[in-house]
Amino acid sequence: MNLDWEFIMESLPLYGDAMWLTVKLALIAIVLSLVLGLVFSLVLFYKVKGLRSIILAYIELSRNTPLLVQLFFLYYGLPKVGIHMSEFQCAVAGMTFLGGSYMTEAFRSGIEAVGRTQLESGLSIGLSRVQLARYVILPQALAISIPSLGANAIFLLKETSIVGAIALMDLMNVAKDLIGMHYKTAESLLLLVLAYLILVLPLSLLLTWVERKVRHAEFGN
Amino acid sequence: MAKLAEEGNADMTKTGELLLKVQGVHKTFGDRQVLKGIDLQVERGEVIVILGPSGCGKSTLLRCLNGLEPVQGGHILYRGQDLAGGDVNWRELRQHIGMVFQNYELFPHMTVLENILLGPLKVQRRERAEAQQQAQELLGRVGLADRAGDYPRQLSGGQKQRIAIVRALCMNPDIILFDEVTASLDPEMVREVLDVILGLAKQGMTMIIVTHEMGFAKSVGDRIVFMDQGTVCEVAPPEQFFTSPATERAQHFLNIFEYNKL
Ligand SMILES: Nc1ncnc2c1ncn2[C@@H]1O[C@H](COP(=O)(O)OP(=O)(O)O)[C@@H](O)[C@H]1O
Ligand SMILES: [Mg+2]
């Protein structure tokens, strides 16, 4: 197969811009999801009255509706009730709505894996609930949660491929446009795959490395 | 039975400061009554050993004294303050009422020294240098001076349990509660832990000890409290309890242990 190298070179800046958009979007969404997940999992752990059932309902809603539907709701639905957001803001909000529930579950399973007796021995030396979370629960829970937190981060990064649906010029949209305008299907798809590999692969490798580190420092009482 | 327990207490309270007074404590889990009116008094410097068949409520009683379980009735007076009431500052109280659990629950992600210093530094907000000096001295006393930098996974069960005792001691508590602290240990490690507790008794530490080690109970206890089915059946000095237990249930309990020895 002969590739049109000139076309590829000319398209690179477009892909570069789209990659940058993807990175920004994924990074913000991942960080916000982590924050949401941490806070929500602690609320669930401490069984904060009222908030608990709201969060459980949110998790169900978030996990059982497609991201595409969530994005459409934010992009086309909210303006009808007077809430206007840019495409990028919508994408961040949608991805965080999705990621928050996955991260909550990841943190929660880590927290639940820390034994009840660990909590009681923390309490028995007079730790407050906040100190208990900070010094006893979270350090152990994080080590347990890291693999699933990382898997969620990669999942979110890949999910960015859907934000083209609300007119953001992400990688998918760039490729689609190029194919539509120039009929250079092979070149455009090749660049698309490469772009995602360049984004996802380092993150995957980093995660594998961190996992190995964590397992190396495995506590085990 | 309860009457008997009260009389047992009465003649022991002539001297010393009354540290802990448990009065008619009730504890229920759902509709299950686990503690049915417990009475108990502990003076400063006293060592109380609680004996009784498995499931009679020994752990639950200790957990109530440490605020890990709320009680549904009665009073727990600690130096005059009622801990059975609503707003009790357990954070503050647990600095005075230490507890050591059956399963040497050290924090696995911290070194021995960090385990010991967590309470003194973060709860009591003491100076690191001073607290660390005390920790080192206590580690020396339990024969583990060289293990300060180790992680719990590097220690044997007996060593971990000795560290757990040091962790409680380093808070300078008024009283320490021990809940079957040798029950999960391999037999050859039981002794090293019991020796540490015996040492504390000699130094006048106030302790409530739940154990199934009868020889140890006999030698460490000032008084034996025998519980059965959520009540205190008998309170007696060890010599009396082990040679001529007053209640049938205590006799039965001791008989089972005689058989176990054979
Ligand atoms: N959290 C709990 N919920 C329900 N029942 C419990 C709970 N903890 C203890 N129990 C019950 O209370 C009784 C006393 O338990 P425990 O105090 O552990 O006995 P012991 O320490 O003397 O063996 C047991 O029958 C036990 O099943
Ligand atoms: Mg028990």
Side-chain angles (χ1 to χ4, degrees), chain B residues 17 19 42-48 141 169 173-176 178 196-209 220 222:
Chain B
E17 176 199 353
L19 204 55
V42 187
E43 281 174 28
R44 194 180 279 284
E46 231 189 338
V47 177
I48 305 286
R141 261 208 265 159
L169 278 175
D174 289 324
I175 179 169
I176 305 186
F178 291 88
V196 167
I197 303 176
L198 277 168
L200 292 177
K202 285 209 189 82
Q203 288 160 19
M205 187 73 197
T206 315
M207 299 185 277
I208 302 182
I209 302 170
V220 79
D222 292 318

Coordinates of all heavy atoms in Angstrom, one line a residue, chain B residues 17 19 42-48 141 169 173-176 178 196-209 220 222:
Chain B
E17 N -7.5 4.5 95.1 CA -8.4 5.3 94.3 C -9.2 4.5 93.4 O -8.7 3.6 92.7 CB -7.6 6.3 93.5 CG -8.4 7.2 92.6 CD -7.6 7.8 91.5 OE1 -6.3 7.7 91.5 OE2 -8.2 8.5 90.6
L19 N -10.8 3.8 90.2 CA -10.6 4.3 88.9 C -11.8 4.1 88.0 O -12.2 5.0 87.3 CB -9.4 3.5 88.3 CG -8.6 4.2 87.2 CD1 -8.1 5.6 87.6 CD2 -7.4 3.3 86.8
V42 N -12.8 -1.2 89.7 CA -11.3 -1.3 89.5 C -10.6 -0.2 90.2 O -10.9 1.0 89.9 CB -10.9 -1.3 88.0 CG1 -9.4 -1.6 87.9 CG2 -11.8 -2.3 87.2
E43 N -9.7 -0.5 91.1 CA -8.9 0.5 91.8 C -7.6 0.7 91.0 O -7.2 -0.2 90.3 CB -8.5 0.0 93.2 CG -9.6 0.2 94.2 CD -9.2 -0.4 95.5 OE1 -8.0 -0.5 95.8 OE2 -10.1 -0.9 96.2
R44 N -7.0 1.9 91.2 CA -5.7 2.1 90.6 C -4.7 1.1 91.1 O -4.7 0.8 92.3 CB -5.3 3.6 91.0 CG -4.1 4.0 90.1 CD -3.7 5.4 90.5 NE -4.5 6.5 89.9 CZ -4.4 6.8 88.6 NH1 -3.6 6.2 87.8 NH2 -5.2 7.8 88.2
G45 N -4.0 0.5 90.2 CA -3.0 -0.4 90.6 C -3.5 -1.9 90.6 O -2.7 -2.8 90.8
E46 N -4.8 -2.0 90.4 CA -5.3 -3.4 90.5 C -5.2 -4.1 89.1 O -5.3 -3.5 88.1 CB -6.8 -3.3 90.9 CG -7.1 -4.2 92.0 CD -8.6 -4.2 92.3 OE1 -9.4 -3.3 91.8 OE2 -9.1 -5.2 92.9
V47 N -5.1 -5.4 89.2 CA -5.1 -6.2 88.0 C -6.4 -7.2 88.1 O -6.4 -8.0 89.0 CB -3.9 -7.1 87.8 CG1 -4.0 -8.0 86.6 CG2 -2.6 -6.2 87.7
I48 N -7.3 -6.9 87.2 CA -8.5 -7.7 87.2 C -8.4 -8.7 86.0 O -8.1 -8.3 84.9 CB -9.8 -6.8 86.9 CG1 -9.9 -5.7 87.9 CG2 -11.0 -7.7 86.8 CD1 -10.3 -6.1 89.2
R141 N 12.5 -2.2 77.1 CA 11.9 -3.0 78.2 C 11.3 -4.3 77.8 O 11.2 -5.3 78.5 CB 10.9 -2.2 78.9 CG 11.4 -1.5 80.2 CD 10.3 -1.3 81.2 NE 9.8 0.0 81.1 CZ 8.6 0.4 81.6 NH1 7.8 -0.5 82.1 NH2 8.2 1.6 81.5
L169 N 1.1 1.5 75.8 CA 1.9 2.1 77.0 C 2.4 3.5 76.7 O 2.4 4.3 77.6 CB 3.1 1.2 77.3 CG 2.8 -0.1 78.2 CD1 4.1 -0.8 78.3 CD2 2.3 0.3 79.5
P173 N -1.3 5.5 79.6 CA -2.7 5.4 80.0 C -2.8 5.1 81.5 O -1.8 4.7 82.2 CB -3.2 4.2 79.3 CG -2.0 3.4 79.1 CD -0.8 4.3 78.9
D174 N -4.0 5.4 82.1 CA -4.3 5.0 83.5 C -4.5 3.5 83.6 O -4.3 2.9 84.7 CB -5.5 5.8 84.0 CG -5.2 7.2 84.2 OD1 -4.1 7.6 84.5 OD2 -6.1 8.1 83.9
I175 N -5.1 3.0 82.6 CA -5.5 1.6 82.6 C -5.4 1.0 81.2 O -5.6 1.7 80.2 CB -7.0 1.5 83.2 CG1 -7.5 0.0 83.2 CG2 -7.9 2.3 82.3 CD1 -8.8 -0.2 84.0
I176 N -5.1 -0.3 81.2 CA -5.0 -0.9 79.8 C -5.9 -2.2 79.9 O -5.9 -2.9 80.8 CB -3.6 -1.4 79.5 CG1 -2.6 -0.2 79.5 CG2 -3.6 -2.0 78.0 CD1 -1.2 -0.5 79.0
F178 N -6.8 -5.7 78.1 CA -6.2 -6.7 77.2 C -7.2 -7.8 76.9 O -7.8 -8.4 77.7 CB -5.0 -7.5 78.0 CG -3.9 -6.6 78.2 CD1 -3.8 -5.8 79.4 CD2 -2.8 -6.6 77.4 CE1 -2.7 -5.0 79.6 CE2 -1.7 -5.8 77.6 CZ -1.6 -5.0 78.8
V196 N 5.7 -9.9 79.6 CA 5.6 -8.4 79.6 C 4.5 -7.9 80.4 O 4.6 -6.9 81.2 CB 5.4 -7.9 78.1 CG1 5.0 -6.5 78.0 CG2 6.7 -8.2 77.3
I197 N 3.3 -8.6 80.4 CA 2.2 -8.1 81.1 C 2.4 -8.3 82.6 O 2.1 -7.5 83.5 CB 0.9 -8.9 80.7 CG1 0.7 -8.7 79.2 CG2 -0.3 -8.5 81.5 CD1 -0.5 -9.4 78.6
L198 N 3.1 -9.4 83.0 CA 3.5 -9.7 84.4 C 4.4 -8.6 84.9 O 4.2 -8.1 86.0 CB 4.2 -11.0 84.5 CG 3.3 -12.2 84.7 CD1 4.1 -13.5 84.5 CD2 2.5 -12.2 86.0
G199 N 5.3 -8.1 84.0 CA 6.2 -7.0 84.4 C 5.4 -5.8 84.7 O 5.7 -5.1 85.6
L200 N 4.4 -5.5 83.8 CA 3.6 -4.3 84.0 C 2.8 -4.4 85.4 O 2.7 -3.4 86.1 CB 2.6 -4.2 82.9 CG 3.1 -3.8 81.5 CD1 2.0 -3.8 80.5 CD2 3.8 -2.5 81.6
A201 N 2.4 -5.6 85.7 CA 1.6 -5.8 86.9 C 2.5 -5.4 88.1 O 2.1 -4.8 89.1 CB 1.1 -7.2 87.0
K202 N 3.8 -5.9 88.0 CA 4.7 -5.6 89.1 C 5.0 -4.1 89.3 O 5.2 -3.7 90.4 CB 6.1 -6.3 88.8 CG 6.0 -7.8 89.1 CD 7.4 -8.3 89.5 CE 7.4 -9.9 89.5 NZ 7.6 -10.4 88.1
Q203 N 4.9 -3.4 88.2 CA 5.1 -2.0 88.2 C 3.9 -1.2 88.7 O 3.9 0.0 88.8 CB 5.6 -1.4 86.9 CG 7.0 -1.8 86.5 CD 7.2 -1.7 85.0 OE1 6.5 -1.0 84.3 NE2 8.3 -2.4 84.6
G204 N 2.8 -1.9 88.9 CA 1.6 -1.3 89.4 C 0.7 -0.8 88.4 O -0.2 0.1 88.7
M205 N 0.8 -1.2 87.1 CA -0.1 -0.8 86.1 C -1.5 -1.4 86.4 O -1.7 -2.5 86.7 CB 0.4 -1.4 84.7 CG -0.3 -0.9 83.5 SD 0.1 0.8 83.2 CE -1.2 1.3 82.2
T206 N -2.5 -0.5 86.2 CA -3.9 -1.0 86.3 C -4.3 -1.7 85.0 O -4.1 -1.1 84.0 CB -4.8 0.2 86.6 OG1 -4.2 1.0 87.6 CG2 -6.2 -0.3 87.1
M207 N -4.8 -2.9 85.2 CA -5.2 -3.6 83.9 C -6.4 -4.5 84.1 O -6.7 -5.0 85.2 CB -4.0 -4.6 83.6 CG -2.7 -3.8 83.3 SD -1.4 -4.9 82.7 CE -0.8 -5.6 84.3
I208 N -7.2 -4.6 83.0 CA -8.3 -5.6 83.0 C -7.9 -6.6 81.9 O -7.7 -6.2 80.7 CB -9.6 -5.0 82.7 CG1 -10.0 -3.9 83.7 CG2 -10.7 -6.1 82.6 CD1 -11.4 -3.3 83.5
I209 N -7.7 -7.8 82.3 CA -7.2 -8.8 81.3 C -8.2 -9.9 81.1 O -8.6 -10.6 82.0 CB -5.9 -9.4 81.9 CG1 -4.8 -8.3 82.2 CG2 -5.3 -10.4 80.9 CD1 -3.6 -8.7 83.0
V220 N -1.2 -13.4 87.9 CA -1.2 -12.0 87.6 C -2.3 -11.2 88.3 O -2.3 -10.1 88.6 CB -1.2 -11.7 86.1 CG1 -2.6 -11.8 85.5 CG2 -0.6 -10.3 85.8
D222 N -5.2 -9.8 90.7 CA -5.5 -9.5 92.1 C -6.9 -10.0 92.4 O -7.2 -10.5 93.5 CB -5.6 -8.0 92.3 CG -4.2 -7.4 92.2 OD1 -3.2 -8.0 92.8 OD2 -4.0 -6.3 91.6

